[in-house]
Amino acid sequence: MNRVLRVKQHLPIFDWGQRYSKRKLAGDLTAAGIVTIMLIPQSLAYALLAGLPAQVGIYASILPLVAYTLFGTSRALAVGPVAVVSLMTASALAPLGISSVTDYIAAAGVLALLSGLMLLGMGLLRLGVVANFLSHPVIAGFITASGLLIAVGQVKHLIGVSSSGHNLPEIIETLCSNVGDISLSTMMIAAFALTSLVWMRQSLSRVLQDRLDMPIGLAGTIARVGPVFAIVGTVLLSWGLDLPGLGVGVVGVVPTGLPPFSVPLTDWSVLSALIGPAALISIIGFVESVSVAQTLAAKRQHRIDPNQELTALGASNLASGLSGGFPVTGGFSRSVVNYDAGAQTPAAGAFTAIGLLFAAVYLTPLLYFLPKATLAATIIVAVVSLVDFSILKTAWRYSKADFAAVATTMLLTLLVGVEAGVAAGVLISLLLFIWKTSRPHVAEVGLVPGSQHFRNIHRHNVLTDPRLVTLRIDESLYFANARRMEDLVLERVHMDRGSFEHVVLMCSAVNDIDLSALESLETINQRLNDLGVLLHLSEVKGPVMDRLKCGHFLTKLTGEIYLSQYDAYSELTGAQPVSAG
């Protein structure tokens, strides 16, 4: 039985597959059909964003979906290329100076393999909590800056000029230097594509509901697959008007056939240069994917296992790397479409993979006349929703420290590059955590009259006793805050030196005490003893008490350890007990 449970834990398909039914099959097939239509233009566009040939986007969307079907725990998550990870892929590969397209594709595959191995390793070590080390404001700032960087980076395709650069100043500089090469024909097709896409995103759903009485869910789904209509329309225009002859850039020949199955090879210098970017892509991709999966799962009262999601994303990236793709993760827009279209199980992803496989074998010749401006417009419209500068206003009002973290992340992403922005976000998140926990809030508390509750003497009208000082420590104690806690306690003692007999440390918020903090407690105990003051503890949690019993602190403690703060107050002051309330 335990073996069966372990298999189901690591291969969830054996869990939900046992309960598969015709009703779920119908929902999965419907969702797969809609997502396939949506994913074809998206995969082409994100391959372009990553600096790769268009067909690589389709390759990166087939086997990863199958891998996620086997290992994933979300019933609606759609895995494949996404905007931010595609941008990070381009940023990781561009500095390598690879001139050969074949070598560039191989390097992208190696990046996917490295990311997959890292995610699998994190899954085996059950490091799903790593997502908690990136604060939401920092992630929001990074995604906003990335969205702006992506949009500006696609302007070259909208106006028909060449440009390069890994950050905003470089991109703008190269665009300005090539402004004389602007193609009017390209701008016209781009304007048509942008206008169509924006209208379909903002108005098509309402038009379908008002004029055709279409159900709101169906109308919204059709509106979300709007890029397909834009692609069909611009391909017909490009073919009928011979736009390539007028200087409009098109996708060109897209190889037909199955994805290549092989291990991408590269030299050691490239491999070593990709390790750092792979780690950043793994973290950002995991955070984005799990956020989407948890949001959708909550709507249907399902549960997502973050550790298993690490394994599933790792397997998906390995599958992408072995089939000619590049790093992938769970995408928000197509996952929402998958959910709204009625996906019931991860099998919807496998059916989507079959549809994409059909497209790779039979439909790619039709993409020859597809203008690159259309794909750029698709990317821009998709990433506009990522840009949210309101996080700056929100962070400024709530916390200046969080504002500094968000602003720094955004500025570094825009001015230096994606990798610098991600690295800064991770570093700032950790530094903020250490800074905040290194300055623990220590409040002197007193008894609320007529109750057994204790509150801050500076905020509430409470009872105190001149013989007793109670300090509530509102943070776990570890090396970064041990000395500060020691200084705060001793500073309070010296304020009224000789006027009291007892100090009680209220530990209701203390979840851990490390060795450095234990040494500080021993110092406090000794210093108070030298002053003739007894040290007591109250409301010490069980796990913390177990740790304390491993040392000599309890044998040297001059006072007592009380189950509750009220017990300590009553015994040390002789107060008349009151009933709990």
Side-chain angles (χ1 to χ4, degrees):
M1 180 62 70
N2 290 335
R3 183 178 299 176
V4 173
L5 291 176
R6 282 197 298 269
V7 170
K8 289 183 177 180
Q9 180 182 0
H10 296 295
L11 283 170
I13 187 173
F14 287 109
D15 182 22
W16 57 262
Q18 291 180 333
R19 301 184 298 275
Y20 206 64
S21 62
K22 291 182 178 180
R23 181 184 64 82
K24 292 180 179 180
L25 174 63
D28 287 342
L29 286 173
T30 302
I34 294 173
V35 173
T36 299
I37 295 172
M38 178 185 186
L39 192 50
I40 292 173
Q42 270 196 356
S43 61
L44 298 173
Y46 292 146
L48 181 71
L49 177 58
L52 294 160
Q55 70 272 13
V56 176
I58 297 179
Y59 297 161
S61 305
I62 297 176
L63 280 188
L65 283 168
V66 177
Y68 189 83
T69 299
L70 296 174
F71 297 98
T73 59
S74 171
R75 303 186 186 186
L77 191 71
V79 173
V82 300
V84 173
V85 171
S86 298
L87 175 63
M88 294 177 71
T89 298
S91 298
L93 298 180
L96 300 179
I98 301 174
S99 57
S100 166
V101 174
T102 302
D103 292 341
Y104 194 89
I105 294 174
V110 169
L111 188 61
L113 289 179
L114 287 173
S115 178
L117 290 173
M118 291 177 183
L119 288 165
L120 279 178
M122 292 167 65
L124 291 174
L125 296 174
R126 305 192 67 77
L127 296 180
V129 295
V130 72
N132 300 331
F133 287 95
L134 278 174
S135 67
H136 172 72
V138 167
I139 287 292
F142 169 73
I143 290 178
T144 292
S146 297
L148 183 60
L149 202 60
I150 290 169
V152 175
Q154 294 306 301
V155 170
K156 62 182 180 183
H157 295 297
L158 299 182
I159 61 179
V161 304
S162 60
S163 73
S164 59
H166 311 305
N167 54 56
L168 196 58
E170 291 178 357
I171 294 172
I172 292 177
E173 180 183 357
T174 55
L175 283 174
C176 292
S177 63
N178 295 316
V179 70
D181 299 329
I182 289 178
S183 167
L184 182 60
S185 301
T186 301
M187 291 181 64
M188 292 178 64
I189 199 72
F192 172 78
L194 275 173
T195 303
S196 302
L197 288 168
V198 171
W199 179 81
M200 283 184 281
R201 177 177 283 255
Q202 296 182 350
S203 306
L204 181 57
S205 176
R206 185 174 64 254
V207 170
L208 293 174
Q209 294 174 56
D210 294 343
R211 298 186 180 180
L212 302 179
D213 292 327
M214 189 174 290
I216 186 171
L218 179 59
T221 300
I222 292 176
R224 288 192 182 97
V225 298
V228 175
F229 304 118
I231 282 179
V232 172
T234 54
V235 165
L236 292 175
L237 281 175
S238 178
W239 171 72
L241 301 177
D242 190 25
L243 293 184
L246 299 176
V248 176
V250 295
V251 171
V253 177
V254 179
T256 299
L258 299 173
F261 300 100
S262 62
V263 177
L265 301 176
T266 188
D267 58 57
W268 172 250
S269 62
V270 172
L271 180 64
S272 58
L274 293 178
I275 292 176
L280 296 177
I281 288 174
S282 299
I283 294 173
I284 293 298
F286 172 63
V287 171
E288 180 177 354
S289 181
V290 167
S291 299
V292 174
Q294 289 178 333
T295 299
L296 296 178
K299 294 183 178 182
R300 291 182 179 171
Q301 289 78 49
H302 295 159
R303 178 180 173 274
I304 298 299
D305 182 354
N307 293 308
Q308 183 60 29
E309 286 298 293
L310 280 169
T311 301
L313 288 178
S316 298
N317 276 279
L318 287 179
S320 181
L322 294 173
S323 58
F326 59 102
V328 298
T329 192
F332 178 76
S333 58
R334 60 176 168 270
S335 295
V336 171
V337 170
N338 199 35
Y339 175 90
D340 289 343
Q344 299 295 313
T345 71
F351 296 138
T352 301
I354 295 173
L356 290 170
L357 194 62
F358 176 84
V361 174
Y362 296 107
L363 301 183
T364 49
L366 303 177
L367 301 174
Y368 180 90
F369 285 96
L370 174 61
K372 291 183 178 179
T374 302
L375 294 180
T378 301
I379 293 173
I380 291 174
V381 172
V383 301
V384 162
S385 61
L386 301 179
V387 180
D388 179 18
F389 288 106
S390 65
I391 187 63
L392 289 170
K393 182 179 180 180
T394 302
W396 176 262
R397 289 181 174 179
Y398 188 77
S399 168
K400 300 301 186 288
D402 283 333
F403 172 81
V406 174
T408 302
T409 302
M410 291 179 65
L411 286 175
L412 284 176
T413 301
L414 291 173
L415 301 180
V416 181
V418 173
E419 292 180 18
V422 178
V426 174
L427 181 61
I428 291 171
S429 296
L430 294 175
L431 289 177
L432 276 177
F433 171 78
I434 294 174
W435 182 76
K436 290 176 181 178
T437 58
S438 69
R439 301 171 61 84
H441 180 255
V442 178
E444 184 170 350
V445 299
L447 179 65
V448 177
S451 75
Q452 295 185 8
H453 302 294
F454 288 79
R455 294 293 185 269
N456 194 322
I457 63 172
H458 300 297
R459 293 176 178 267
H460 302 274
N461 183 21
V462 293
L463 302 177
T464 59
D465 191 286
R467 295 165 293 177
L468 172 68
V469 170
T470 295
L471 300 174
R472 189 188 68 221
I473 303 172
D474 294 333
E475 187 62 69
S476 294
L477 300 177
Y478 71 116
F479 64 91
N481 62 24
R483 285 298 301 274
R484 178 171 174 80
M485 182 270 300
E486 180 182 332
D487 292 341
L488 288 173
V489 172
L490 295 178
E491 180 182 343
R492 175 61 185 88
V493 170
H494 287 291
M495 285 174 57
D496 299 314
R497 186 172 180 178
S499 63
F500 53 85
E501 304 169 2
H502 306 279
V503 170
V504 180
L505 298 183
M506 186 175 174
C507 302
S508 54
V510 177
N511 296 316
D512 187 35
I513 297 177
D514 74 358
L515 189 58
S516 297
L518 181 62
E519 292 177 354
S520 290
L521 288 176
E522 292 173 345
T523 300
I524 293 171
N525 184 59
Q526 182 60 49
R527 294 283 294 277
L528 292 179
N529 187 46
D530 294 342
L531 297 173
V533 178
L534 301 181
L535 175 65
H536 310 270
L537 304 180
S538 72
E539 303 191 12
V540 180
K541 295 181 178 179
V544 177
M545 181 62 75
D546 292 339
R547 296 282 294 274
L548 293 178
K549 289 178 180 179
C550 295
H552 303 291
F553 172 71
L554 297 181
T555 60
K556 296 179 180 179
L557 183 65
T558 56
E560 302 292 335
I561 296 182
Y562 294 93
L563 182 63
S564 72
Q565 177 57 31
Y566 185 73
D567 291 342
Y569 184 85
S570 299
E571 182 172 322
L572 298 177
T573 64
Q576 187 69 27
V578 299
S579 59

